[in-house]
Every structure is written in C-alpha cells, then in structure tokens.
Amino acid sequence: AAVQSATGVFINAGGTFVNSETITSNGEIIISSGGSYTGSTNYSTSIQNTISAGVGGTGNLTINSRGTFTNNTAGALTATGKIALKTYWDGTYERNMTLGGNIVAGANGIQLTSSGTINQTGGVLTTTGTFSGPSQKGGTANSSMPSCLFYTSYPPDEEDAHTSCVRLPLRATL
C-alpha cells in the first residue's frame, strides 16, 4: 500500500529495500537499507515507484544504501529541499548506483555518493541548486580529492583525474 505522511517518513530496513508503491510526505523522507550492517552482503535499494518529499512544504529526501542503488523509470525522486543518495563501501566490494528515473530537487541540490560507479541509464536530473558529492570513491572531500560541482561531458564514462569526479551524460537540467 502507498505511504503518505504529513510530517515525515523514516524507514530503516534491516536488509534490502524495495518500494513498489508510492511514498509521499509533506516533510522529510529518510530511507536506509541494511541498517548498521558492515559485512559483505549486498543489501540493495531498489526504487520502483515515486518518492516525493516536501509536498506542500519543505523536505529533503535521503537514501542510504548498504548495497547497490537503482531507480527505474517509474521510480522518480522528488524533493523541495535536497536529494542525497549514498551507497556505502564495505571495505571490499564497490556498490554501484544506477539512475534510471527522473530526479528533481529544490534549491538544496542533488548529492550523489557512490562507493562504485554512477551510471545514468535514463531520466533527467534537475535542480535549482548544485549537483555535488564527496570524492568518487565515497570518501570525505578534501584538498587532494575535492568534491565536484556538476558538469556534463561526452562520452559519459570519462573521469577527471584531477578532481576525482565522474562525468555524467548530457541529461541534466540545472
């Protein structure tokens, strides 16, 4: 069944998380898969239906995945604040992020952090804020591995060794 809240939605899945129904909140939405698990099991996050935060108000959408992250074309993500997506590094296995649906964020922007690759297979990323994230490997940004502001390039799989930023395809609106 669909989930709707006037104040916020907080989901802490002990394992894999899949949303086959819509999730809507006037406030913030936080989703975590895998809880505090630190082993090698891929507790993935699969967004298969719309998630909207801040509807009629202001709210952020945060998704922390202990495994791979995917959203399909039906899995559009919308927030009036920021959208932050993260896949954790387990010390051995990279956890990739695949973006297949639209992502629309407000003035607080879109933040992507992947311990593996970020692949955009569809959808358009739109924000009135900045598009950024920590270093390519999911680490904390610093002077030797700075955060990057969003820029596009072609071909989409090039890397900029100086900034450790992944260049994404020309399917974004700023």
Side-chain angles (χ1 to χ4, degrees), residues 106-121:
N108 294 334
I110 299 171
Q111 182 179 13
L112 302 179
T113 306
S114 176
S115 65
T117 60
I118 299 173
N119 300 304
Q120 186 179 10
T121 59

Side-chain angles (χ1 to χ4, degrees), residues 40 67 89 122 138 155:
S40 62
W89 171 254

Side-chain angles (χ1 to χ4, degrees), residues 6-32:
T7 57
V9 175
F10 306 96
I11 299 170
N12 189 359
T16 295
F17 176 79
V18 177
N19 83 306
S20 54
E21 299 290 334
T22 61
I23 299 173
T24 305
S25 175
N26 292 2
E28 185 171 24
I29 297 175
I30 299 174
I31 299 169
S32 297

Side-chain angles (χ1 to χ4, degrees), residues 8 43 58 78 92:
Y43 288 124
T58 301
T78 305
T92 304

Side-chain angles (χ1 to χ4, degrees), residues 47-89:
I47 307 303
Q48 300 176 0
N49 212 317
T50 303
I51 298 177
S52 301
V55 175
T58 301
N60 298 324
L61 170 59
T62 303
I63 301 176
N64 297 307
S65 183
R66 289 282 176 190
T68 56
F69 171 89
T70 60
N71 74 319
N72 63 20
T73 55
L77 304 175
T78 305
T80 55
K82 79 173 178 184
I83 294 179
L85 307 176
K86 181 177 184 177
T87 63
Y88 284 90
W89 171 254

